[in-house]
Amino acid sequence: MSFSMFRLCGFQILLVIHLAMCQNFGNLHLTGPLKDMNFSVPEGSGVRLIYQFTAEPPAVSFRATGEKDGLLDIVPKTGVLYLNGSLDWETKTKYSLQVESLDEEGQRVKGPYTIIVFVEDINDNPPEFDQLKYTGVVRQNSRPGKPFMYVHATDRDDPSTPHAQLTYSILHHFPNPYSQMLFQINNVTGAISPSMTGSYYLDPQKQDTFTLVVTVKDMAGLTMNAFTSSADVIITVKESLWKAPPTIHIQENSTRDHPVNISQVHSNEPDAIYELFVKEQLPRLPFSVNQNGVIYVTEPLDREKKDTYLFFVIAKDKEGELVDKPLQISVIVEDINDNPPVCQKALTVLEVQENEDAGNYIGTVSATDMDQKDTLNSRLQFKIESQVPAVPANDLFFIQQDTGILQLISRSLNKRIASSYSLKVLVTDAVFQTICDVQIHVIDINDQIPIFEKSDYQNVTVAEDLPVGTVILEIQATDADEPLTGSSYIVYEVKEGDPNKTFIIETDPETNRGFIKINKALDFETAQVYNLVIHATNPEPLVPGVQYNSSSITVFKVFLTNVDEPPVFSREAYTAEAFENIPVNTLVMTVEAYDPEGDTVRYSLEGDVKKWLRIDSSTGKIYTASLLDREQKQAYEVQVVASESNNVAQKSKATFVINLKDVNDNPPRLATNGALFFCHPLSGGERTLIQATDDDEQMFYSTFTFSLKDDTDTRNNWEISKINSTHAYLSPKHTNFDEKVYNVPVIINDNGRPPLEGEINLEVNVCKCSSEKSCFIAVQRERSWPSAGQAIGILLGVLLLIGCIIASVFFHMKYKEKDQKKSHQEDAKDQAELHSLAK
Ligand SMILES: *[C@@H]1O[C@H](CO)[C@@H](O)[C@H](O)[C@H]1NC(C)=O
Ligand SMILES: *[C@@H]1O[C@H](CO)[C@@H](O)[C@H](O)[C@H]1NC(C)=O
Ligand SMILES: *[C@@H]1O[C@H](CO)[C@@H](O)[C@H](O)[C@H]1NC(C)=O
Ligand SMILES: *[C@@H]1O[C@H](CO)[C@@H](O)[C@H](O)[C@H]1NC(C)=O
Ligand SMILES: *[C@@H]1O[C@H](CO)[C@@H](O)[C@H](O)[C@H]1NC(C)=O
Ligand SMILES: *[C@@H]1O[C@H](CO)[C@@H](O)[C@H](O)[C@H]1NC(C)=O
Ligand SMILES: *[C@@H]1O[C@H](CO)[C@@H](O)[C@H](O)[C@H]1NC(C)=O
Ligand SMILES: *[C@@H]1O[C@H](CO)[C@@H](O)[C@H](O)[C@H]1NC(C)=O
Ligand SMILES: *[C@@H]1O[C@H](CO)[C@@H](O)[C@H](O)[C@H]1NC(C)=O
């Protein structure tokens, strides 16, 4: 003790020494009869008195045994229990002594009593990390907040006090290329996880090692004099395991035991749950995935039914939330030769003239194979198996092996010997074979040409707006060859005057009458007259020496008449795509119409109910007229009208559809608007379900996060806990709520791009409940202004209250003053007493 202390407290020291000698402290707290007692002494406090036991006759002295440890003892004569040295909580937290009182002869009078001295912890130990350096591995694109490693520190101080309450933080982050840290640490558990930014930007190609300096503070980090230690954390970034496999090739019609492993995916999260997801409509997806991410094909595939599959693997956690972006799996089904050739017709009927020459083309046998085109699996070969009858020879016909083209081998057919032959043509691919039946009729020679009834059909006048398909003229030629054969059938063809095939001619096979039809829309403005030259021919070749001459040709003219037509749009429908947030006056489309008669065209819009668009009447450019909103209408359709400026009645319309693409422009909100309430008084454990939604387009992995606004009231009263990506529970943190409506500010974030935050002021009614578990609604009492008498009463009441407050403050201050004096005295007494003991 310093000299000045002595001087300062001189009077008290003398007093205390005296009192100690007289076996009395004169202080009720520090002296008393011997009995079981407990004391609490702060560690490291040094030499001091603890207590004085008063001797009750015939006892004259005291004896202490037990865990004195050279630090605690009792002065036999005075009964003073003292501490000679410093205690250390970390070494021993309590000392147990047995104390008895003795008489003159040293015989026990009372006791032994158990005296326990508890050591009070003071914060004298800094926290220590259990390693100087930690290493960890994180995968690219890991989920934000998902720990990939932990640091841990211990503090030797009493864990039940703030002295050992540790809080972790990241002090440095090397390198730190972004405005936000790539990693975060849980201040309580020491769990290190990627931050939002980290989840997005971590990339081993760019930076594969990071060093974090993490610190740990005791006193929950709340005071300036908390102890701090730090450690290095070396983090290696590895490539994401979650990668789509290359395109998978599966041979169709497999005979292996199914399911067959075709690939395997790995989530970055070890306990992810895998699922498959298909966008297209399929009766059944012949694939499955197991819990190790192994993808199986579950049955033999058939390329001829479906030759490619596209689906997604998704990885979810136990709460059903996606932990990674969906991976696209594409499967190509490979062909095997599992389809036989098929004849195109059950019976192919051909004709050949008696006198035809060797090598003449007769016809083609057609067959198909469903196996993959342009592979050996669908390569077909043809061969004549048999010919019935085999007269005058058995090999009258030849078939080209790879084309199926039938030719005549020699000039040997005679209708009187055989008027018809049946061939069996064998069609083979590498594995399968099929027989196609062919019948060949021997017909008369084609020695007559078609002769037109008229060589000039003169003039035909038609309106330009006659519909396609209209017959504008019938023509007739005759052929004297054998009826109903290729020698007499007449094929009419426009040989000249119609470069664009505006007309076609069909033949009635019975009568050989020709019908000239409009094949394409006529247009006076393009062509006003057609000079047509028509040829009539037979499908069978003419015998040598006979030729088509001018009797097989006819001509006529087609005159078009003009009709005033409305403007014509370049397209029937126009579509555009735009983001819903494009500014007003953005050009979204240019439509174009022209008037066949060359009049100027004016444009206008019809059906623009939302007044979102405007059109430039002369250029056809369509601009936005106001802000668009996908949530009101995703595909906005209007009619564009084009009219002749000289005759507005002549108009035509086209549709214009603008498809709005979503922009995350709606903050999340609560889905339910029903009143939330809790029954008063609360009994604890109450909670209520809340659901978030968003008007923006909901991707199939949309996720909301819930939190409460960080203000003291809300933090102390309410708690929000997430259930899954759309739901959470709101629960009161305690039961001490008044009967009233509380405003709970809830914050919901979406995962759109850009992410948006919605703050919702949730009104929660804490109310008396009626039996049906709903608020009991009392009839409202009428409110009115107080009368003059009431007002005076209130005023007096307020004055009285103020008086009371002033009085109590005054009283309190006095009391405190006294208290402080008392504690000063006690400290001094302890010190003096020790000195007297040491003597
Ligand atoms: C002293 O503390 C011990 C352990 O906490 C307890 O069992 C005992 O009752 C206490 N004795 C007194 C006298 O308070
Ligand atoms: C206190 O401890 C010191 C040494 O540790 C010893 O010399 C001294 O006698 C002790 N005093 C009493 C009163 O026990
Ligand atoms: C620990 O983290 C929680 C949640 O992030 C935060 O509310 C709290 O204030 C933090 N405590 C300290 C001491 O930083
Ligand atoms: C499944 O097949 C993939 C390759 O296709 C292979 O890497 C993986 O190890 C297989 N998994 C099992 C469980 O057989
Ligand atoms: C599979 O191949 C066999 C012969 O190899 C064939 O008979 C069967 O029709 C084929 N199945 C499918 C679905 O193609
Ligand atoms: C056909 O039209 C031409 C040209 O206009 C005309 O000279 C001729 O007289 C017309 N023939 C008939 C039969 O109307
Ligand atoms: C044929 O088509 C071409 C190109 O479309 C056009 O320029 C020409 O005027 C057309 N001719 C007739 C006679 O329709
Ligand atoms: C065309 O040939 C036929 C016989 O094949 C004949 O009767 C006819 O007179 C010929 N016509 C012309 C214009 O020479
Ligand atoms: C989320 O939880 C709520 C309440 O338990 C349930 O109704 C809802 O279907 C769940 N949604 C999903 C996506 O799991």
Side-chain angles (χ1 to χ4, degrees), residues 252-253 301-302 304 336-339 432:
E252 63 168 329
N253 208 351
L301 304 179
D302 183 3
E304 286 74 36
I336 63 165
N337 190 357
D338 57 354
N339 284 282
F432 300 94

Side-chain angles (χ1 to χ4, degrees), residues 40-41 43 88-94 118-126 154-166 218-220:
S40 176
V41 177
E43 63 172 322
D88 180 19
W89 182 88
E90 286 73 28
T91 316
K92 198 166 162 86
T93 59
K94 73 172 197 186
F118 290 98
V119 185
E120 259 175 55
D121 185 52
I122 63 167
N123 190 21
D124 56 354
N125 286 288
T154 48
D155 189 299
R156 294 175 55 230
D157 288 316
D158 186 354
S160 66
T161 65
H163 307 154
Q165 233 182 62
L166 304 185
D218 61 15
M219 301 300 289

Side-chain angles (χ1 to χ4, degrees), residues 409-422:
I409 284 190
S410 66
R411 185 176 178 161
S412 51
L413 299 181
N414 188 327
K415 249 178 106 172
R416 269 161 299 152
I417 298 172
S419 64
S420 174
Y421 292 89
S422 291

Side-chain angles (χ1 to χ4, degrees), residues 533-784:
V533 177
I534 315 269
H535 284 206
T537 54
N538 298 125
E540 284 292 323
L542 292 172
V543 297
V546 180
Q547 274 162 2
Y548 294 108
N549 64 18
S550 60
S551 299
S552 305
I553 296 172
T554 190
V555 296
F556 68 96
K557 291 190 173 69
V558 179
F559 291 94
L560 300 193
T561 52
N562 194 13
V563 174
D564 184 13
E565 295 149 303
V568 180
F569 277 101
S570 60
R571 284 190 252 155
E572 275 170 30
Y574 297 84
T575 52
E577 267 202 345
F579 282 107
E580 56 175 323
N581 63 346
I582 53 173
V584 177
N585 273 330
T586 305
L587 176 67
V588 288
M589 175 56 66
T590 304
V591 299
E592 205 185 321
Y594 70 94
D595 182 55
E597 285 77 45
D599 202 351
T600 328
V601 174
R602 315 290 293 171
Y603 301 93
S604 58
L605 293 179
E606 272 180 17
D608 181 17
V609 287
K610 295 203 180 290
K611 302 271 173 272
W612 279 356
L613 302 171
R614 68 177 175 83
I615 191 164
D616 185 314
S617 67
S618 53
T619 62
K621 290 189 185 323
I622 302 178
Y623 301 90
T624 57
S626 58
L627 290 175
L628 313 179
D629 184 10
R630 189 201 67 89
E631 286 71 33
Q632 284 185 47
K633 198 105 181 85
Q634 184 167 3
Y636 187 58
E637 181 177 322
V638 296
Q639 303 291 317
V640 191
V641 181
S643 51
E644 294 178 10
S645 53
N646 292 330
N647 181 7
V648 278
Q650 282 291 4
K651 61 183 177 185
S652 52
K653 293 181 186 180
T655 55
F656 169 53
V657 179
I658 180 164
N659 289 310
L660 297 183
K661 288 190 282 181
D662 193 40
V663 171
N664 192 21
D665 56 356
N666 288 280
R669 58 178 174 84
L670 285 186
T672 44
N673 276 329
L676 295 181
F677 69 93
F678 291 106
C679 293
H680 186 271
L682 274 77
S683 54
E686 287 98 340
R687 61 186 191 182
T688 185
L689 192 65
I690 59 177
Q691 182 187 356
T693 184
D694 193 319
D695 297 320
D696 290 310
E697 196 166 20
Q698 298 293 306
M699 290 303 174
F700 59 93
Y701 46 82
S702 98
T703 295
F704 299 104
T705 50
F706 299 84
S707 55
L708 290 171
K709 194 175 176 187
D710 193 24
D711 64 50
T712 331
D713 259 7
T714 313
R715 223 180 315 119
N716 291 343
N717 290 340
W718 304 101
E719 196 161 50
I720 207 155
S721 57
K722 181 167 188 164
I723 305 172
N724 53 34
S725 53
T726 51
H727 289 71
Y729 283 123
L730 177 75
S731 44
K733 264 188 165 171
H734 54 85
T735 57
N736 190 15
F737 282 84
D738 295 333
E739 233 183 294
K740 65 169 194 183
V741 175
Y742 286 84
N743 287 322
V744 184
V746 174
I747 293 168
I748 308 179
N749 295 81
D750 65 20
N751 65 342
R753 218 168 264 176
L756 283 185
E757 178 173 290
E759 184 178 332
I760 294 105
N761 198 11
L762 204 56
E763 289 198 346
V764 181
N765 196 356
V766 176
C767 59
K768 200 170 281 154
C769 283
S770 55
S771 52
E772 298 91 45
K773 279 264 151 205
S774 63
C775 277
F776 171 80
I777 313 228
V779 181
Q780 283 223 322
R781 250 178 290 150
E782 230 177 277
R783 266 188 224 153
S784 62

Side-chain angles (χ1 to χ4, degrees), residues 431-476:
V431 176
F432 300 94
Q433 52 187 33
T434 304
I435 300 280
C436 295
D437 287 312
V438 180
Q439 194 161 49
I440 298 174
H441 293 291
V442 181
I443 59 171
D444 252 346
I445 54 171
N446 187 11
D447 56 0
Q448 299 293 320
I449 58 168
I451 311 277
F452 269 108
E453 57 172 4
K454 288 185 197 169
S455 62
D456 187 347
Y457 281 85
Q458 301 291 335
N459 301 345
V460 179
T461 302
V462 296
E464 61 169 330
D465 60 354
L466 272 191
V468 167
T470 309
V471 176
I472 60 165
L473 181 66
E474 293 182 20
I475 53 177
Q476 181 77 60

